[in-house]
Amino acid sequence: MNILKVKDRQELDRKLPSMPWYVEKFVNYKLPDLSPSSLLEYVRDYELFMKWLIAEGLSSAVEVKQVELIELERLHMESIDNFRMFLATHPTHHNTKTTITRRLSSLRSLFHYLSQIAEDDEFYPLLKRNVMAKVSIKRTHKPKDTAAKLEGKLLQEEEIAEFLAYIGHYYEQDIAANKQALYSYKLNQTRDACIISLILHSGLRVSELVNLNIDDIDVKKKLCYVYRKGKNDDTFKTPVYFRQEATDDLNAYLQMRDTRYKAPKREKALFLAIANGKKEGSRMTKRAIQEMVIKYAKRFGKPYLSVHKLRHSFATDYYLRNDIYMTQEQLGHASPETTQIYAHLTDKTMAEAIDRIKRNSEATSTSTSTSTSTSTSTSTS
């Protein structure tokens, strides 16, 4: 069973009792079609919105659970514009344009359900007036725009090998004076190198890495079996190939996993960590993997790197060697439209590669010419 989905379902079940009854009704309606992880995000968005309504005096409720449907019906467009402004300017929420769009889309889904689908005992819509139907939500994730944002922030060609070499050897030199960091590095270097190598040679998502069990890896066939995002069937895992370059790192980690992390027999997780105060290893968390990648990236001189950008780095490199449909399948994208960002990224990457080849060719030609000239001059004298 997908570990993250189980945790998100548990968190969803904990949160729902504190939400208004109509939100719980909406979640139950959507549960067969959406994953618990997606619905948990919806509920968090609704919680934020309703707390804002209370703080602004747009609801007389004392707590979120008490926000009434009639108060949603009476909202003006100005109120929604003010909420959008709140999201964009409030320092504690760190909302990007994409996040703001997602939060507004969450609200629109709820309001649409209440006004168009859910009915009361008299067969009338639960929500008589839907202010969110008037809200224009601009999509911000066009492939070309996403590619432009990623430009210059990915590992390209030889940088992939350089980053892995840095984690394997040169990072130790940079932290030599920090005993605590050095101890942690020597304890976890083999595991860390394996995780980053697997991402850079397969394009796995961080959620897929977290969910990997030791039985999900077939080193001989260069396959790992993962629960793919967007698929609600937890009885079926998708095979994902990884490159030959990842096998040495995987074998090295597998050889020391049990002894280094004191793995109990009941622990099936592939990647382990020993938490403070614990004696046995347990499944690494999503946050731990994200922070680990950032730690190495900063020292490497690329502080903007993240797990997702490592996935993008693999995808760009993979797309250069394959086509859009093979890349789509490898990454687990639902639509080739999502994969199109790599077409835009590789246009520039390919152009830069051609320029490098041309410069190297010219340099070689100049060097050969100079060598020939020198040889002729020497012979003449």
Side-chain angles (χ1 to χ4, degrees):
M1 185 173 287
N2 189 318
I3 302 298
L4 289 182
K5 280 188 179 180
V6 170
K7 288 183 177 179
D8 286 343
R9 181 57 196 264
Q10 291 170 346
E11 178 66 16
L12 182 65
D13 290 342
R14 280 195 295 269
K15 273 190 169 295
L16 274 180
S18 66
M19 301 301 293
W21 63 271
Y22 50 84
V23 170
E24 187 169 0
K25 189 176 178 71
F26 169 77
V27 169
N28 290 333
Y29 171 76
K30 285 288 188 180
L31 200 52
D33 302 317
L34 294 178
S35 71
S37 303
S38 297
L39 287 170
L40 180 58
E41 288 299 320
Y42 274 52
V43 169
R44 285 169 176 163
D45 292 340
Y46 302 151
E47 183 179 40
L48 176 63
F49 176 65
M50 290 177 188
K51 283 182 176 179
W52 178 82
L53 290 179
I54 295 170
E56 293 294 309
L58 296 171
S59 169
S60 60
V62 176
E63 55 187 31
V64 167
K65 188 178 180 68
Q66 298 169 344
V67 175
E68 296 184 7
L69 276 170
I70 189 66
E71 293 171 325
L72 301 185
E73 283 184 356
R74 291 172 178 169
L75 291 174
H76 294 282
M77 267 300 298
E78 183 182 2
S79 300
I80 304 302
D81 289 338
N82 289 340
F83 179 63
R84 193 199 301 259
M85 184 64 69
F86 163 78
L87 292 176
T89 58
H90 203 281
T92 60
H93 295 297
H94 308 292
N95 289 298
T96 63
K97 288 182 179 179
T98 302
T99 307
I100 292 171
T101 297
R102 196 209 72 226
R103 291 191 191 280
L104 292 175
S105 294
S106 296
L107 283 176
R108 192 154 68 172
S109 295
L110 175 64
F111 277 62
H112 173 78
Y113 166 76
L114 295 174
S115 64
Q116 300 295 320
I117 299 172
E119 298 174 333
D120 61 18
D121 293 339
E122 301 298 324
F123 307 107
Y124 287 106
L126 289 180
L127 196 68
K128 310 300 187 291
R129 177 179 166 275
N130 179 5
V131 68
M132 289 303 298
K134 302 177 182 179
V135 177
S136 173
I137 300 177
K138 295 180 180 178
R139 299 294 173 184
T140 59
H141 55 275
K142 293 180 181 178
K144 192 172 183 179
D145 295 337
T146 305
K149 290 179 181 179
L150 290 173
E151 193 174 296
K153 295 182 179 179
L154 306 181
L155 298 174
Q156 294 182 359
E157 299 178 279
E158 66 276 0
E159 286 183 328
I160 291 176
E162 288 172 4
F163 186 46
L164 290 170
Y166 178 78
I167 296 166
H169 306 287
Y170 305 111
Y171 179 79
E172 183 176 0
Q173 298 173 12
D174 286 348
I175 60 166
N178 187 331
K179 290 184 179 179
Q180 185 175 353
L182 193 61
Y183 172 79
S184 176
Y185 169 74
K186 289 184 175 180
L187 180 69
N188 298 310
Q189 183 271 330
T190 302
R191 180 202 66 190
D192 295 351
C194 179
I195 291 172
I196 293 175
S197 178
L198 194 54
I199 300 170
L200 285 170
H201 292 303
S202 70
L204 289 178
R205 298 178 176 92
V206 65
S207 58
E208 293 164 353
L209 278 167
V210 169
N211 278 307
L212 278 175
N213 289 333
I214 197 160
D215 295 335
D216 294 330
I217 295 290
D218 189 329
V219 179
K220 288 184 178 179
K221 292 183 179 179
K222 300 191 289 294
L223 280 175
C224 55
Y225 296 86
V226 302
Y227 291 112
R228 275 299 192 192
K229 180 181 177 181
K231 293 186 177 179
N232 291 327
D233 185 359
D234 283 351
T235 63
F236 178 76
K237 290 187 176 183
T238 302
V240 178
Y241 287 94
F242 53 83
R243 290 170 172 163
Q244 177 65 36
E245 290 90 333
T247 56
D248 288 344
D249 292 307
L250 270 167
N251 282 325
Y253 171 69
L254 289 170
Q255 287 174 10
M256 51 77 74
R257 171 189 175 274
D258 294 349
T259 54
R260 178 68 55 86
Y261 295 97
K262 302 178 177 62
K265 289 184 178 180
R266 66 181 181 278
E267 183 55 80
K268 303 300 181 183
L270 175 62
F271 293 116
L272 304 176
I274 300 178
N276 290 333
K278 302 290 184 179
K279 294 183 179 180
E280 295 180 333
S282 59
R283 189 180 300 270
M284 281 188 80
T285 64
K286 180 178 176 180
R287 182 180 293 275
I289 292 176
Q290 290 169 329
E291 290 177 349
M292 178 267 290
V293 169
I294 291 170
K295 174 184 72 174
Y296 289 115
K298 284 181 177 178
R299 287 282 186 174
F300 186 64
K302 292 186 178 290
Y304 43 76
L305 278 179
S306 62
V307 175
H308 207 59
K309 287 189 175 68
L310 294 185
R311 172 174 154 86
H312 283 314
S313 297
F314 163 81
T316 305
D317 186 67
Y318 188 86
Y319 182 80
L320 280 168
R321 305 160 196 261
N322 299 280
D323 60 33
I324 192 169
Y325 298 105
M326 290 181 68
T327 307
Q328 177 191 352
E329 183 178 357
Q330 178 69 23
L331 296 176
H333 288 159
S335 166
E337 182 182 352
T338 309
T339 319
Q340 284 176 9
I341 64 171
Y342 305 111
H344 296 289
L345 278 167
T346 52
D347 283 345
K348 183 164 185 175
T349 303
M350 186 65 81
E352 289 174 346
I354 291 170
D355 285 342
R356 278 197 299 274
I357 292 170
K358 185 178 179 182
R359 286 196 299 270
N360 291 339
S361 178
E362 289 173 350
T364 302
S365 177
T366 302
S367 175
T368 303
S369 176
T370 302
S371 176
T372 304
S373 176
T374 303
S375 175
T376 303
S377 176
T378 305
S379 175
T380 303
S381 62

